[in-house]
Every structure is written in C-alpha cells, then in structure tokens.
Amino acid sequence: MAKGEGAESGSATGLLPTSILQVGERPAQVKEPKKKQQLSICNKLCYAVGGAPYQMTGCALGFFLQIYLLDVAQVDPFSASIILFVGRAWDAFTDPLVGFCISKSSWTCLGRLMPWIIFSTPLAIIAYFLIWFVPDFPQGQILWYLLFYCLFETLVTCFHVPYSALTMFISTEQSERDSATAYRMTVEVLGTVLGTAIQGQIVGQANMPCLEDLKDSAVATEDANHTHSTTSLRETKNAYLLAAGAIASIYVICAVILVLGVREQREAYETQQAEPIPFFRGLRLVMSHGPYIKLIAGFLFTSLAFMLVEGNFALFCTYTLGFRNEFQNLLLAIMLSATFTIPFWQWFLTQFGKKTAVYIGISSAVPFLILVALIESNLIVTYVVAVAAGISVAAAFLLPWSMLPDVIDDFHLKHPHSHGTEPIFFSFYVFFTKFASGVSLGVSTLSLDFAGYQTRGCSQPAPVRFTLKMLVTMAPIVLILLGLLLFELYPIDEEKRRQNKKALQALREEASSSGCSDTDSTELASIL
C-alpha cells in the first residue's frame, strides 16, 4: 500500500564547515535557532495534507485499476498485465529521474521543491481523469491506458518526490520532524480512506453487469453489448468518471493547502552558495550506505506483500469469496482500521523502538491471512480479518518513512560534507518498491490469464479462484516472512539512533561556534 510513509531525523546543516556558516553570520541568528525551527500545529497539518493526493490516487488505482481494465474497459488479461507492469515500471523509473532533476534545481522565491508541486498538479489531475475514461476506439485502448497511466505516474512523481524530501527541510529539529511525520502518516492513511470510500462507494452503487454463461466469452460479450447490459455498463463507466472527478478535486485542494501553509526553509549553507554533491557521486555514496540497502531490502518484500493484497483484493472478494457487493465496504473497513491505529503505532515505536514495531506490526497480518486461506467464505470472519489487516497496514504505512530519515542521519555523520542527497534517498527508495510492485502486478494478472480468467463473468473457474486465494494469502505471507528476516540485518536500533542524534547535535553546536574549523568538524564526525 502505498507507501507510510515516529521519525527522528537530522539535517545536514549542522554538518557543514563553520567557514561556510560563519560568512555574514550574525549573533542573533546563533542565539535563536530553535525559534526558527518551531512548527505550529497549523504548519504540521498543512504539511500533512500534502500527502493525501498521492495516497488517494494510489489507493484508487491500486485497488480498482485491475478490475476496471478487465471488467469495465474489457481489456484482455494479457494486455491488462502489460499496462499494469509497464505503468508501474515507468513510475519506478521516473522517481530517480525526478530526484536527479530536483537535485539540479535552483532556489527560487517559492523554494527549490515547491515549484515542482505547483506546476505538476493541474496536469496530473487531467491525466488521472483520463485514465478512468473508456475511449470509443477499442483497437487503441491499450495505447490510451499506457499513455495516460504513465503520464499520470510521471506527474504525480513530480509532486510526491519533492513532497517527501520536504520532510528534511521543514525543520532541522528532530522532534519537530518526528511530530510532522506522525501528522503526515495519519493524514495519508485518511487519504487512503477517502480514496477507498469515494471510489468504492460511488462505483459500488453502479449496477455492474456480468454474464452468467460464458461458454463462448467473445460471442457472449458481443451479444451483451447489444442488450440491456449496455445501459448498466455505461452507468458503471460514468460512476468511475464521477469518482475520478471527486478525487481530482480533493487533489487540487490539498495541493493548495500545502503550498500556502508550508514554508520551505533554506539551509544556511545554501545562502552561502555551497555547492551540493554531484548527483552520480551522491548516488554512489547513497547506494553504498549499508543501512540504506538493508532498509530497502526489508521493506521491499513487506511492501510487495501488501501490494499483492491491494492489487488483487477486489477480484478476490468478488470471485473467490463471492462478496461482489461488499468488497468496497471491506476496503473501507481496512482503511478505517489503519487510520485509527496510526497513533497507536506512533506511541508504540517511541516506547519500544522502531525495529520492534516492524516485527510486531507487520507480522500481525500473518495469522489472519492464514485464517482467510483455510476457512470457507464467511462475511463476518472476512470483516474481522479486514480490521486486523488494517492494523498491520498502519504499521506498513508509518514505519518506512519514519526509519528512512534515521538512515539519512547516519549517512550525514559518515559523510559530513555531502549535501543535497536527500532526494536521492527518497526517490530510490520509492523506485525499488514501485518497480517490484509493477512486476508483482504484471505477474499476478498474467497468472489470472493462464488460469482462465473470463472477462465480465459473474463467476470464475476454480483455477482462477484458487489463484486469487494464493495471491492474496500465501504469497504475501511468504514475502512478509522474508522481509522480517532481512530486518535482522538492519543496524540502526534505538541505541544507535540516540547516538546519532547526540552526534548531530554536537556537530551543529560545533558548526555554530566561532572556534570550529573544517578539520574539527570532519574529525568529530569520524570519532562519532
């Protein structure tokens, strides 16, 4: 599930040589740094609201695009798998590309990151709306959906990568960024609730036509298009367009609140025109940083598990469990449960540590997935499992984005003069998870094709139902267990995190004192 996003994070500002910071420095600026870094509740809320558009659109696409392509646009499963894979793979590729472009961006009166958010928003909502439009030329449908899916993912990346990197520039105070991250994760889960509720409830109200007898699928589909089912199909198409319009409107509102309510803080070294590290050199340093690679590897598998559930959940509920008219309510139960448990996981990780929260939070989904795999279809049990899954989803949302700033802090201590690497960390983290999710979605849709998926069928053959059960239960369980095993290698525990926090504070104090030289800063970083 898209990506959740208790982070104690540090800025690279304090790691700069004092020779840079002292140029034109006034005593008043040294005496009152904390006042400048305090974020009001309004600032934190405005920042948090900016995370909702990505989650709303990502949730709607993740849960509904597959079933929309198969049963509404009537794209064959093989072509749908190509659209889903290429779209996600392209989305993954654009993250480091946008990260590279951001790293080369100059500071403007709006900041360095904000212009990307402002100018990508209107184009993104147009592309998003057109994804849910069924063109009148069936032969060109694959190209249509590939074009607008890839275009939208590019534009939303131009929004989300700078927004994610903005975490490091709203404040240099770790406690302030911790708090802002918690606000962000709560609002992002609320965004998934909105996306699920709007898309699910509007689409769920439409009378989705299906075909009872599909002995000859092609003939049956052609005949159905000239009968009363044509009206029902048109209503379903209009419902998807209505949902897309509602989500696009909220996207714009959230972007406006973010731009008006958050001020991007320019670091002291940037005012002195310090040169950031070259992108490819920074990339080599980032990709050789052990904690970053281990964090990516662990969350890669756990994220894949939840993405498999997300991508196949609507089909699983409709055809395997037989809850054609309930899947949107089950989705809503998952997201509401996740929303209400985000504050709990924020409290839990501050009390017991982030690695402990990973083990307990993400593994909590395993017994319930096993339960779904073993028992017969039961609506009450399915709702219980949905609520339990939401608890685990909340942990999966919160923990990656709360642990990534810890890795950046650790990197800054080891490379105190490497500035401007934050977009690289965020963009490549998203790159790996998105590319893997594209592979998983493409493979899962191809699996349905091989199993004999029948477009617009009221029911599916036994091999299709079994394949969906494996994709939503057993495959995610295996991926979760692999991810948790990899987290054993992740080196930044609570003790290490506290040491890094003290080290960063010491470097800031050294940098702000008149007696600290370049050699002193480097020496202190090496000792720490």
Side-chain angles (χ1 to χ4, degrees), residues 275-295:
E275 287 294 326
I277 188 172
F279 178 83
F280 290 104
R281 184 186 166 200
L283 178 59
R284 286 194 298 271
L285 289 175
V286 167
M287 299 311 294
S288 63
H289 189 55
Y292 182 61
I293 299 302
K294 292 164 186 173
L295 183 71

Side-chain angles (χ1 to χ4, degrees), residues 244-464:
I247 290 175
S249 300
I250 298 174
Y251 189 124
V252 174
I253 293 170
C254 292
V256 170
I257 292 173
L258 171 66
V259 171
L260 296 180
V262 176
R263 189 173 186 82
E264 186 180 342
Q265 296 192 16
R266 192 174 188 181
E267 298 284 11
Y269 71 86
E270 290 183 300
T271 63
Q272 303 302 327
Q273 299 181 345
E275 287 294 326
I277 188 172
F279 178 83
F280 290 104
R281 184 186 166 200
L283 178 59
R284 286 194 298 271
L285 289 175
V286 167
M287 299 311 294
S288 63
H289 189 55
Y292 182 61
I293 299 302
K294 292 164 186 173
L295 183 71
I296 285 177
F299 275 118
L300 180 63
F301 285 97
T302 56
S303 298
L304 273 176
F306 288 103
M307 288 171 185
L308 271 177
V309 175
E310 177 187 71
N312 295 283
F313 188 78
L315 292 172
F316 175 72
C317 289
T318 301
Y319 296 117
T320 302
L321 298 181
F323 303 141
R324 175 177 290 273
N325 298 319
E326 287 290 333
F327 76 85
Q328 68 269 19
N329 297 323
L330 289 165
L331 288 177
L332 194 57
I334 293 173
M335 293 305 152
L336 286 173
S337 172
T339 303
F340 291 131
T341 49
I342 280 280
F344 166 76
W345 288 118
Q346 173 65 21
W347 169 84
F348 187 94
L349 64 85
T350 59
Q351 296 297 313
F352 303 101
K354 296 179 182 180
K355 287 188 73 173
T356 304
V358 167
Y359 293 132
I360 295 177
I362 294 179
S363 65
S364 64
V366 172
F368 295 99
L369 291 175
I370 293 174
L371 183 64
V372 171
L374 295 179
I375 66 169
E376 294 296 325
S377 175
N378 184 295
L379 186 58
I380 295 176
V381 172
T382 306
Y383 269 104
V384 172
V385 171
V387 172
I391 297 172
S392 191
V393 167
F397 261 97
L398 178 64
L399 290 165
W401 296 105
S402 68
M403 296 172 78
L404 190 54
D406 297 339
V407 172
I408 298 175
D409 286 348
D410 189 72
F411 176 85
H412 285 325
L413 285 171
K414 291 180 173 61
H415 306 279
H417 301 291
S418 299
H419 317 307
T421 56
E422 290 85 359
I424 300 175
F425 276 99
F426 285 98
S427 61
F428 271 88
Y429 170 76
V430 178
F431 166 79
F432 287 111
T433 55
K434 284 182 177 179
F435 185 81
S437 73
V439 173
S440 70
L441 274 176
V443 169
S444 63
T445 310
L446 267 180
S447 300
L448 295 177
D449 188 23
F450 293 143
Y453 184 87
Q454 297 176 336
T455 300
R456 290 181 59 198
C458 292
S459 62
Q460 295 292 338
V464 173

Side-chain angles (χ1 to χ4, degrees), residues 30-201:
V30 177
K31 290 179 182 177
E32 301 179 354
K34 290 192 176 180
K35 284 188 178 179
K36 290 188 176 184
Q37 303 303 329
Q38 291 294 327
L39 297 174
S40 67
I41 292 177
C42 181
N43 290 142
K44 294 174 185 176
L45 285 172
C46 290
Y47 166 70
V49 163
Y54 180 78
Q55 298 300 337
M56 282 192 306
T57 55
C59 186
L61 289 168
F63 278 121
F64 291 92
L65 184 57
Q66 187 184 49
I67 195 170
Y68 167 80
L69 291 173
L70 293 173
D71 287 354
V72 180
Q74 299 180 44
V75 177
D76 65 271
F78 179 76
S79 299
S81 70
I82 293 175
I83 294 169
L84 293 170
F85 169 71
V86 173
R88 287 295 182 100
W90 174 257
D91 183 23
F93 173 75
T94 58
D95 281 283
L97 181 63
V98 171
F100 171 78
C101 295
I102 291 173
S103 69
K104 297 297 182 183
S105 299
S106 301
W107 187 273
T108 70
C109 60
L110 298 172
R112 188 175 64 167
L113 303 174
M114 283 297 184
W116 289 84
I117 295 172
I118 294 170
F119 294 114
S120 66
T121 295
L123 298 174
I125 61 171
I126 294 171
Y128 179 77
F129 185 80
L130 292 175
I131 290 174
W132 303 105
F133 177 78
V134 180
D136 292 331
F137 38 90
Q139 291 78 11
Q141 278 190 339
I142 298 175
L143 183 60
W144 174 278
Y145 291 116
L146 269 177
L147 173 64
F148 288 107
Y149 189 22
C150 292
L151 180 60
F152 171 73
E153 294 296 355
T154 302
L155 292 166
V156 81
T157 297
C158 292
F159 182 103
H160 191 249
V161 169
Y163 172 74
S164 300
L166 191 62
T167 307
M168 306 301 293
F169 296 100
I170 56 175
S171 176
T172 57
E173 290 294 321
Q174 294 186 3
S175 59
E176 291 297 298
R177 295 211 305 253
D178 284 348
S179 179
T181 299
Y183 276 83
R184 172 190 167 188
M185 292 305 103
T186 302
V187 173
E188 286 197 356
V189 177
L190 282 171
T192 65
V193 172
L194 272 177
T196 303
I198 293 171
Q199 188 86 7
Q201 296 302 317

